[in-house]
Amino acid sequence: MAFKPANNIQDLQYFGEFGGVNPSISDSSTYTFLSAKTMFDTFEGNADGCYLYSRHSSPSNLYLGEALAAMEGTETANVSASGMGAITPALLQLCGAGDHIVSSRTIYGGTYAFLKNFTPRFNIKTSFVDITNLEIVEAAITKNTKVLYCESVSNPLLEVADIKGLAAIAKKHQLKLIVDNTFSPLSISPVKLGADVVIHSLTKFINGSSDTVGGVVCGTQEFINDLRNVNNGASMLLGSTMDSLRAASVLKNLRTLHIRMQQHSKNGLFLAEKFEADGLKTVYPGLKSHPSHELFKSMMNTQYGFGGMLTIDVGSIEKANELMELMQNRNLGYLAVSLGFYKTLFSAPGTSTSSEIPLDEQKAMGLSDGLIRFSIGLDDDIERTYSMMNACMKELSIL
Ligand SMILES: *Cc1c(COP(=O)(O)O)cnc(C)c1O
């Protein structure tokens, strides 16, 4: 039977304390023990099912974590207060002074800044490479390399990582392959393709309502236990714990993710095809013109589509700004960073989300001034949206 990650979420069953159809929300930071011995065992990590303190784990966070692990096909998962609160401990758990990371150069600006500016303080060095070129990736590996890091679909350029190819390289050199799957939940299942650890910013598609930040690390029981270890676990000690109330809220939103992703993808493909036919430089993994279209197809869980992210290039930052302001005035979306909302969001990545990346490096990787990144919304009438966007472009002489 075909692997359907959304079914795996559907198959979970957690009742509330009084038979509620939703699990009860844990409203406690600390937990009582009937015996002192059990408290000691829990501290030592030897008392399954016992809760000690909510920075370590809480029932609500475990429910959400288990649902995300089911979606990604991992043994378990650890949720966190933000996507960065998942990425940074995962990397610091695997790397110490003297270690080396090989990372895609087109990654989320915050992750890039962490690897470029912050981890060198701990003598952790990173080589940034073109992740679509497996020879270059392998050539960057040194005897100190511990981690291969990429995004399945990269931010903001929508480059697609060959996860199977990268997994083979990771295995050969005994590295951990970490994949940030924020842009392609459900569509791509990195663990099925050989990744060791999958990370999401829950802030985006998974929560989908732009009302919180959140993150998750999905991996083996051993790795998640390491992250949570009270003595040396990076998640436990750095402390970016998600609040239980929020975990319960994200879990409820997660249940509609498959329906939302299908609509984001349907609308994304429709607009990308129209924009390209209009002569705009359009990047969308679902277009045949995308350099990794076939690769994406070979990796995807078909029913969820190519996702909701696309970029167009309108030539200059001035034109990009004018267009975004006009589209916002016509209520076609919001001029805002982030993604995965019911409403279309657009921003110019060079000047906003990737501003941490120096200008000459942005140029080298194809981040042009006139680039607009769209997170396509759940619009019910996408043909109307398209004709209104088309009118905006004509008005501004972009078309
Ligand atoms: C937003 C984002 C992050 C960071 O997540 P936060 O929840 O904002 O901390 C990491 N990776 C990608 C691909 C993102 O889009």
Side-chain angles (χ1 to χ4, degrees):
M1 211 184 73
F3 174 83
K4 288 196 175 179
N7 276 9
N8 297 347
I9 302 169
Q10 182 88 34
D11 286 344
L12 295 173
Q13 187 185 60
Y14 296 121
F15 293 120
E17 198 177 352
F18 303 103
V21 294
N22 290 304
S24 304
I25 301 175
S26 39
D27 196 26
S28 299
S29 57
T30 189
Y31 303 82
T32 59
F33 289 84
L34 291 177
S35 85
K37 167 91 170 61
T38 321
M39 181 185 267
F40 176 79
D41 288 345
T42 304
F43 234 100
E44 297 289 296
N46 300 327
D48 262 359
C50 286
Y51 297 95
L52 179 70
Y53 185 63
S54 288
R55 175 153 44 77
H56 182 254
S57 63
S58 69
S60 295
N61 286 13
L62 288 189
Y63 294 137
L64 176 60
E66 288 317 301
L68 291 161
M71 178 180 94
E72 288 297 355
T74 58
E75 287 173 14
T76 189
N78 189 52
V79 297
S80 54
S82 69
M84 288 309 293
I87 292 165
T88 56
L91 288 168
L92 292 176
Q93 194 68 35
L94 293 169
C95 299
D99 289 340
H100 175 248
I101 296 168
V102 175
S103 169
S104 165
R105 63 184 183 184
T106 53
I107 50 173
Y108 178 67
T111 313
Y112 182 83
F114 179 68
L115 291 175
K116 177 142 179 126
N117 306 327
F118 201 88
T119 48
R121 289 192 194 179
F122 307 115
N123 197 24
I124 298 169
K125 297 213 169 69
T126 301
S127 300
F128 295 98
V129 298
D130 175 356
I131 203 74
T132 63
N133 186 329
L134 294 181
E135 275 167 35
I136 289 181
V137 171
E138 189 161 21
I141 294 169
T142 72
K143 64 179 189 337
N144 296 327
T145 309
K146 292 285 173 352
V147 167
L148 201 51
Y149 186 92
C150 69
E151 296 173 1
S152 15
V153 178
S154 82
N155 183 11
L157 293 171
L158 311 181
E159 285 180 354
V160 179
D162 175 357
I163 299 173
K164 269 189 194 158
L166 292 167
I169 293 175
K171 199 161 182 196
K172 181 172 159 199
H173 296 271
Q174 295 176 314
L175 316 178
K176 294 281 183 228
L177 174 61
I178 304 185
V179 179
D180 178 339
N181 199 28
T182 301
F183 273 38
S184 46
L186 297 176
S187 293
I188 293 181
S189 301
V191 166
K192 192 179 77 173
L193 303 165
D196 297 292
V197 176
V198 181
I199 288 178
H200 283 279
S201 166
L202 302 178
T203 314
K204 316 295 170 52
F205 289 106
I206 289 181
N207 185 58
S209 46
S210 292
D211 58 358
T212 187
V213 287
V216 69
V217 181
C218 303
T220 60
Q221 188 71 54
E222 188 188 4
F223 183 57
I224 301 302
N225 285 352
D226 285 350
L227 284 172
R228 286 200 191 120
N229 189 296
V230 293
N231 294 309
N232 55 24
S235 293
M236 181 66 182
L237 299 177
L238 295 172
S240 65
T241 309
M242 180 177 273
D243 182 70
S244 291
L245 280 170
R246 192 51 88 175
S249 169
V250 176
L251 177 62
K252 284 176 272 189
N253 289 343
L254 173 65
R255 293 168 180 159
T256 57
L257 179 65
H258 57 302
I259 302 167
R260 289 186 280 113
M261 285 318 295
Q262 287 172 34
Q263 187 72 8
H264 285 301
S265 291
K266 179 178 151 234
N267 289 349
L269 182 61
F270 182 88
L271 288 182
E273 283 175 344
K274 290 285 188 191
F275 290 159
E276 185 168 64
D278 286 339
L280 287 165
K281 209 172 133 200
T282 309
V283 176
Y284 182 72
L287 292 176
K288 286 198 182 67
S289 59
H290 191 290
S292 303
H293 176 64
E294 289 303 322
L295 172 64
F296 194 108
K297 266 173 51 182
S298 75
M299 296 195 294
M300 77 193 290
N301 299 309
T302 317
Q303 65 269 36
Y304 309 109
F306 294 93
M309 303 302 296
L310 66 87
T311 68
I312 58 171
D313 192 337
V314 296
S316 71
I317 185 68
E318 290 76 24
K319 279 284 171 224
N321 290 344
E322 278 179 65
L323 178 61
M324 291 191 294
E325 286 168 13
L326 186 59
M327 287 191 299
Q328 176 162 260
N329 287 340
R330 306 254 162 100
N331 201 14
L332 293 167
Y334 297 139
L335 206 181
V337 297
S338 200
L339 42 134
F341 199 34
Y342 83 101
K343 198 97 172 174
T344 294
L345 303 178
F346 31 78
S347 58
T351 54
S352 56
T353 56
S354 300
S355 54
E356 299 90 332
I357 303 174
L359 275 180
D360 51 330
E361 286 179 45
Q362 294 196 19
K363 280 232 161 59
M365 54 209 234
L367 251 176
S368 54
D369 262 359
L371 201 71
I372 301 178
R373 183 187 81 177
F374 287 78
S375 163
I376 305 300
L378 301 172
D379 308 30
D380 193 27
D381 186 352
I382 197 65
E383 292 183 34
R384 169 174 163 270
T385 302
Y386 165 69
S387 51
M388 289 173 71
M389 286 181 173
N390 183 265
C392 292
M393 292 175 191
K394 285 188 173 139
E395 223 168 291
L396 297 173
S397 308
I398 291 166
L399 291 178

